[in-house]
Amino acid sequence: MSLHPHIIEPVPDETARIARAAFPKGHPYLTFRDALGTIFQDEDFAPLYAHTGQPGFTPWRLALVTIMQFRENLADRQAAEAVRARIDWKYLLGLELTDPGFDFSVLSEFRDRLLAGSAGELLLDQLLERCQALGLLTARGQQRTDSTHVLAAIRVMNRLELVAETLRAALNALATVAPDWLQGLAPLVWYERYGKRIEDTRLPQGQAKRDAYAQTVGEDGFHLLDALDAPDTPEGLRELPIIATLRQTWQRHYERSTGEGTPSGHPAVSRVRFKANRDLPPAAEGIESPYDPEARYRQKCDTQWTGYMVHVSETCEPTAPHLLTQVYTTTAAVHEAQCTAPIHAALEEKDLAPQEHFVDAAYMSADLLVASRDDHGITLRGPTRPSQGLQAHTERAYTLHQFTVDWEQRQAHCPKARSRPCGGSIAIARASPIPLCASASRTAVPVPPGRCASGPRRPGAACICRRRSALKRSRRPGLGMPVRRDGNAINVAPGSKGRSRKACGPSACDEAAIGA
């Protein structure tokens, strides 16, 4: 298919007359066309098409159809039928009333072009540019970000099904690329063992038989991988994506050891063991399906799923329309706190960085509060996570709010002790922006054990392991403020709901740190 850009004509007179008569009180699609125009131009999609070949359907119309299809949750056939039959769609697309539309298969082909050309964000970026030109979207306002889970379009399998289906998928891929090579390698039993999808076969019953089957599959997989590593293997087979998936799956679920050679001079015997569940690496590293190797398992509170996380940012100005500004997708194994900085960088690249960014507790940490303001000029607002330190779980223990620091005199004031010069190198209460512990001095009122610190400590030891500038910024009024459901800040003292859990170490100390 080739692209021949056309000049976008106004809405045909007859289409406009019938549409306005049918919707005298207005319609969202009519308002969309009148206020925003077509948004897209054929030239925007020129890199996705060849220069020669049969002319394709106008891509700017396909882009709008794709958006409307998503908005109304329509299948391709239903969307193509709406183009033919609905007057509101014809108005937005600028079509004559007699236009027959297109075949539904054109939509899937257009989406494939967007994916192949990594142009999925083009649909959102063009809309944002148009809204900026009309003054509907400006930088340095208020935005909020939240996430939701996305299920992968795969069948969730247990470990035994996963390894067998991964090997079967690899064999099918090799049979397509190098059938003669695979036929000379594969024994006849493989055709029976891996000829059908694993869920369509009957797995062995009983733990002993299942263990034997898992070991057999493991040996078959290693036999195939060894053959692929041989010098006479055809070019390109090792680079197939499914082979990389097979290697990673076998590395996770199997362990191969080579014993010593026999006294008769026979070579050493390779032993394959199917790992126990307790020996597996973290679940975040495991492939859950050979047909979607990026999908990952995650459990968040009471929700368990295999797939991805999508982080959606939108404006939340009270007097302006709410518009999506950024969509950031990661695997399910990536925590929200790891996405805050990339989201800020992407918004700044679009010149849409907010002044205030409202998020939930998962996106917050003490370092992110400071880095967001220093690096991007963004005030991060949201509830902080509760402290996980010893004092938070010890009855009648002293919290950080009960300590005060005199930076000029280099003194820490304990609730039960008189002020004394700070010294020592104790760094506890790491879950706080002010990691501070001060025990009683020899002349002060004794502090009961466990109130300030755990374990043996020399009298009077205290340490503040945080940059002084970072501490002052993190204690500014409003920074880290909790947020209501409507996006407005709650006027409470920062830190009243706990502190973010962040490690504190020597790298956090500088000349402003107090301690030996």
Side-chain angles (χ1 to χ4, degrees):
M1 303 294 288
S2 62
L3 176 62
H4 300 282
H6 297 83
I7 298 176
I8 299 179
E9 301 288 345
V11 179
D13 294 338
E14 187 65 12
T15 302
R17 185 181 69 82
I18 299 299
R20 298 193 184 282
F23 304 102
K25 296 183 179 181
H27 188 277
Y29 292 158
L30 275 63
T31 305
F32 185 102
R33 178 63 188 257
D34 295 339
L36 299 179
T38 61
I39 299 179
F40 308 106
Q41 304 286 333
D42 284 345
E43 291 79 4
D44 298 332
F45 306 93
L48 307 180
Y49 289 83
H51 296 287
T52 59
Q54 181 181 359
F57 193 81
T58 310
W60 72 264
R61 286 195 174 103
L62 292 178
L64 289 176
V65 171
T66 301
I67 294 174
M68 293 186 291
Q69 177 185 5
F70 175 79
R71 180 177 183 269
E72 300 186 20
N73 194 25
L74 300 179
D76 288 350
R77 291 180 183 270
Q78 295 172 317
E81 184 65 24
V83 174
R84 283 189 290 271
R86 289 177 51 174
I87 185 63
D88 53 336
W89 283 47
K90 287 184 179 294
Y91 185 93
L92 177 57
L93 300 175
L95 296 175
E96 296 284 353
L97 294 177
T98 56
D99 192 288
F102 50 82
D103 187 79
F104 72 93
S105 61
V106 175
L107 290 172
S108 61
E109 180 189 356
F110 178 69
R111 291 195 299 270
D112 291 340
R113 291 182 182 274
L114 291 177
L115 293 175
S118 301
E121 294 186 2
L122 178 64
L123 303 183
L124 177 61
D125 292 341
Q126 292 296 107
L127 175 61
L128 295 178
E129 290 181 7
R130 181 60 177 164
C131 292
Q132 283 180 300
L134 296 176
L136 300 176
L137 179 62
T138 57
R140 296 304 172 184
Q142 293 182 348
Q143 294 187 30
R144 61 187 174 201
T145 297
D146 204 352
S147 64
T148 186
H149 62 281
V150 178
L151 301 180
I154 58 174
R155 178 181 181 272
V156 178
M157 297 176 282
N158 59 42
R159 292 182 58 202
L160 197 57
E161 292 175 322
L162 173 62
V163 294
E165 185 63 27
T166 302
L167 179 55
R168 196 190 76 88
L171 292 174
N172 283 339
L174 292 172
T176 303
V177 178
D180 296 335
W181 178 84
L182 182 61
Q183 188 175 12
L185 171 70
L188 293 177
V189 68
W190 282 16
Y191 293 91
E192 179 181 356
R193 189 176 297 156
Y194 308 110
K196 298 180 180 180
R197 290 184 67 95
I198 301 305
E199 63 263 25
D200 296 334
T201 61
R202 188 181 297 273
L203 292 176
Q205 300 296 319
Q207 188 61 42
K209 293 182 179 180
R210 284 177 174 264
D211 292 342
Y213 178 78
Q215 182 172 354
T216 300
V217 173
E219 292 172 351
D220 294 343
F222 280 120
H223 179 64
L224 177 61
L225 292 174
D226 292 341
L228 289 169
D229 292 335
D232 57 345
T233 301
E235 291 287 339
L237 296 188
R238 302 185 191 93
E239 287 72 29
L240 292 176
I242 188 61
I243 300 303
T245 301
L246 179 66
R247 293 184 188 276
Q248 187 173 348
T249 302
W250 253 240
Q251 183 180 8
R252 173 178 173 81
H253 294 279
Y254 285 99
E255 182 179 42
R256 181 164 64 167
S257 60
T258 304
E260 299 180 356
T262 60
S264 58
H266 292 286
V269 179
S270 177
R271 298 182 178 86
V272 176
R273 184 179 71 89
F274 191 56
K275 295 181 181 179
N277 291 335
R278 61 179 179 274
D279 298 331
L280 295 179
E285 303 175 6
I287 293 176
E288 300 295 332
S289 172
Y291 305 109
D292 192 351
E294 293 184 351
R296 292 292 183 270
Y297 169 83
R298 182 175 177 182
Q299 179 177 357
K300 182 179 179 181
C301 298
D302 297 330
T303 305
Q304 302 179 17
W305 78 98
T306 299
Y308 303 86
M309 289 281 289
V310 59
H311 308 265
V312 181
S313 302
E314 68 170 357
T315 60
C316 56
E317 296 286 350
T319 58
H322 293 188
L323 300 172
L324 296 184
T325 56
Q326 174 68 15
V327 179
Y328 185 58
T329 304
T330 66
T331 67
V334 179
H335 193 270
E336 288 86 337
Q338 299 174 264
C339 303
T340 305
I343 290 174
H344 287 169
L347 290 173
E348 191 170 44
E349 184 178 357
K350 296 180 179 180
D351 196 23
L352 291 175
Q355 181 68 33
E356 294 180 300
H357 192 190
F358 297 91
V359 295
D360 61 24
Y363 294 92
M364 298 281 290
S365 73
D367 288 344
L368 288 173
L369 285 171
V370 177
S372 297
R373 172 163 295 188
D374 289 350
D375 299 340
H376 306 286
I378 298 175
T379 301
L380 198 63
R381 298 190 184 277
T384 55
R385 286 170 285 178
S387 174
Q388 301 297 323
L390 174 66
Q391 279 68 34
H393 304 283
T394 303
E395 184 179 0
R396 300 176 63 187
Y398 297 140
T399 63
L400 295 175
H401 298 87
Q402 297 173 274
F403 290 85
T404 57
V405 180
D406 188 339
W407 290 101
E408 301 298 332
Q409 299 297 324
R410 300 175 66 84
Q411 291 182 345
H413 299 262
C414 178
K416 294 288 290 184
R418 291 195 295 268
S419 62
R420 64 171 307 281
C422 293
S425 58
I426 298 176
I428 71 164
R430 295 177 297 174
S432 168
I434 317 173
L436 165 68
C437 176
S439 60
S441 63
R442 292 183 179 87
T443 60
V445 179
V447 179
R451 293 286 185 90
C452 287
S454 61
R457 296 288 187 269
R458 60 187 179 87
C463 179
I464 302 171
C465 294
R466 185 69 65 181
R467 291 192 299 258
R468 179 179 181 179
S469 58
L471 171 64
K472 290 187 175 180
R473 281 193 294 269
S474 65
R475 298 185 67 179
R476 288 179 183 174
L479 194 62
M481 188 179 297
V483 182
R484 296 193 185 99
R485 291 184 180 272
D486 58 3
N488 296 322
I490 301 175
N491 190 17
V492 297
S496 61
K497 295 187 68 177
R499 301 293 187 185
S500 300
R501 185 174 185 178
K502 291 297 293 180
C504 175
S507 60
C509 301
D510 61 2
E511 68 277 359
I514 303 176

